Amino acid sequence: MNEFLAFFLQYREAIFIILLSLFLGIEVISHVPSVLHTPLMSGANAIHGVVIIGAIIVMGHANDVISMVLGFLAVILGTLNVVGGFVVTDRMLEMFRKKKSKN
Amino acid sequence: METISILEMSYILASVLFIVGLKKLSHPDTARNGNLMAAGGMGLAIVFTILFHKKDGEGIGNIPWILGALVIGTSVGWVAARKVKMTAMPQMVSIFNGMGGACAALISLMEFPRLQEKLAIAGVSSMLHGETLAILFGLTIGGVSFAGSMIAFGKLDEKIGDIKASWLRYLNLFFLALLVVIVVMIMFKHPVSGDNTIIYILTALALIYGVSFVMPIGGADMPVVISLLNSFTGIAAACGGFLYNNQAMLTGGILVGSSGTLLTILMCKAMNRSLLNVIIGAFGGDASALSETGDKTVKEITLSDAAVLLSYSQKVLVVPGYGLAVAQAQHLCHELDVLLASKGVEVKYGIHPVAGRMPGHMNVLLAEADVPYEKLLEMEEANNEMLNTDVVIVIGANDVVNPASEDDPSSPIYGMPVIKAWEAKNVIVMKRSMAKGYAAIENKLFYHPKNNMLFGDAKSTLQKLIAEIKNL
């Protein structure tokens, strides 16, 4: 029990953020029309590419060959997720806009 | 002090941009803008991390390597995303999702030895620590997401077939239990510097579980699986945020985790199924036992008859499905629509929410072919106008027009909302063969008295039909 309380106290800020973001995530997209499901999934897919920041931090403090190699790989993978994700989403949404401006 | 507060402020701004971006992404008018905003937030967080991040007073090193990796990732990602065909979009999203999962797993894989060393030096008796938990979760969830996404990609690309075996479910439960046991074991183990075998075992198991988790799920359910794995990767990213006490990663990850889960549930709802049913129940597995009653006569229609029927109709509704997309026939479909419109026929499209390979996928494909937005009717609108519709042309769609969803309680798709093509005056189904759709069940519409089959590949049939109408 004591350990649990200590754990809670130590990470209370993170727990706070996690809980609030949890509700926010649900609230923010709750009225999405089904037409936008695919682009939205793709956009959210790009946002979790934020994991790249962790990869940069690891890579930035790597000092042996193995972590250099793994870190390098992690940054590449993270970038793929971010750039690919946003570009694909933009391409999908571009088409929605094109047809609107035509009329 | 100063640099840290600049960094923290940039993270707050990035988080706000993620939230607003996601909000805007859920409205058609602002979606593109929202995507750009989220991308801006991401760029900001990346640049400021490189410039201002400090760990134990030490800034980010290896910058040339980091920039090199960023350049490689950007160019490959950019080209891949630009070049991919619109029909292959779901596969692409799956790959990018897998990359994110792998990235999260790699971070954990590197951080575990460091943490263990730190704890061993500190002389604590067990690994029971918030950071350990974040590392293990990040590794497991990221690994499952990576392996699962690769399998989902293979299935969507039709490189991997479905395995329908009920024993796989038990095997999956066993793997899941094993994963939990190993995580608990590591949590309570005594930290020994350099003793990292167990983390590699956990990695391998997570990858195996990812494969065996997705393997028995049918190809038609891959969108739901990708959406689920998408939210998994979000959680894995958030684990990284917890580990580094990094707010941008935490908010971004959890946002995707929760909104992704909701999106997954919404997708399941559109198919009238529960998430659990998608994960453990192989769709249509027992459907071969369906009631096969009565005479089944299939009426065929010739191209010229179809051309006449369409040209002299007042209202035509096109119901497109994935078959249209694989045949790359969306442009021809638009041509037909323009041709008919020039003859005074009112042509609209009835889009089922799960038509295509992902919800909304069909809208994107038709948009690519310049079909105006106003012509796309959602399922309910289409059904409301059905009684006044002269002809419904079903192109490459199957399960989304199956009447069994309304009148056959034994059907696995019973209760799923469908486009009621049979209520129109005439139906033409354009299909390559009598083969079953993704749900692997019979479609009674094909035997309906109002229905006329027009067999052939969607593309060549449409070409011939257009030529035929022009010759009238």
Side-chain angles (χ1 to χ4, degrees), chain A residues 22 38 48 58-60 90-91, chain B residues 61-62 81-82 84 97 244 359:
Chain A
L22 211 75
T38 300
H48 69 50
V58 177
M59 182 70 190
D90 190 60
R91 248 186 89 189
Chain B
N62 301 324
R82 280 269 145 213
V84 65
N97 180 47
Y244 295 119

Side-chain angles (χ1 to χ4, degrees), chain A residues 43-93:
Chain A
N45 175 43
I47 291 178
H48 69 50
V50 73
V51 69
I52 188 179
I53 290 178
I56 291 173
I57 295 174
V58 177
M59 182 70 190
H61 301 285
N63 37 29
D64 56 286
V65 181
I66 297 175
S67 23
M68 285 286 281
V69 173
L70 290 181
F72 191 69
L73 199 62
V75 176
I76 292 181
L77 295 179
T79 321
L80 270 175
N81 186 181
V82 170
V83 176
F86 282 122
V87 174
V88 152
T89 314
D90 190 60
R91 248 186 89 189
M92 287 185 207
L93 295 169

Side-chain angles (χ1 to χ4, degrees), chain B residues 209-278:
Chain B
Y209 179 66
V211 172
S212 73
F213 170 68
V214 179
M215 217 52 210
I217 304 176
D221 287 327
M222 280 310 117
V224 177
V225 172
I226 294 174
S227 178
L228 185 68
L229 293 175
N230 185 33
S231 64
F232 277 12
T233 312
I235 296 166
C239 287
F242 191 86
L243 180 63
Y244 295 119
N245 198 14
N246 184 305
Q247 276 74 10
M249 285 173 81
L250 209 51
T251 44
I254 295 289
L255 266 181
V256 176
S258 67
S259 61
T261 309
L262 178 66
L263 195 57
T264 313
I265 293 169
L266 289 178
M267 284 185 188
C268 289
K269 268 194 188 153
M271 298 191 291
N272 192 42
R273 300 168 63 199
S274 72
L275 183 55
L276 200 68
N277 182 263
V278 170

Side-chain angles (χ1 to χ4, degrees), chain A residues 53, chain B residues 6-18 37-52 248:
Chain A
I53 290 178
Chain B
I6 292 175
L7 184 66
E8 293 294 330
M9 277 192 278
S10 80
Y11 284 167
I12 290 178
L13 191 55
S15 301
V16 171
L17 287 171
F18 290 161
M37 280 181 83
M42 189 69 71
L44 184 85
I46 291 172
V47 171
F48 278 66
T49 303
I50 296 175
L51 292 179
F52 297 116

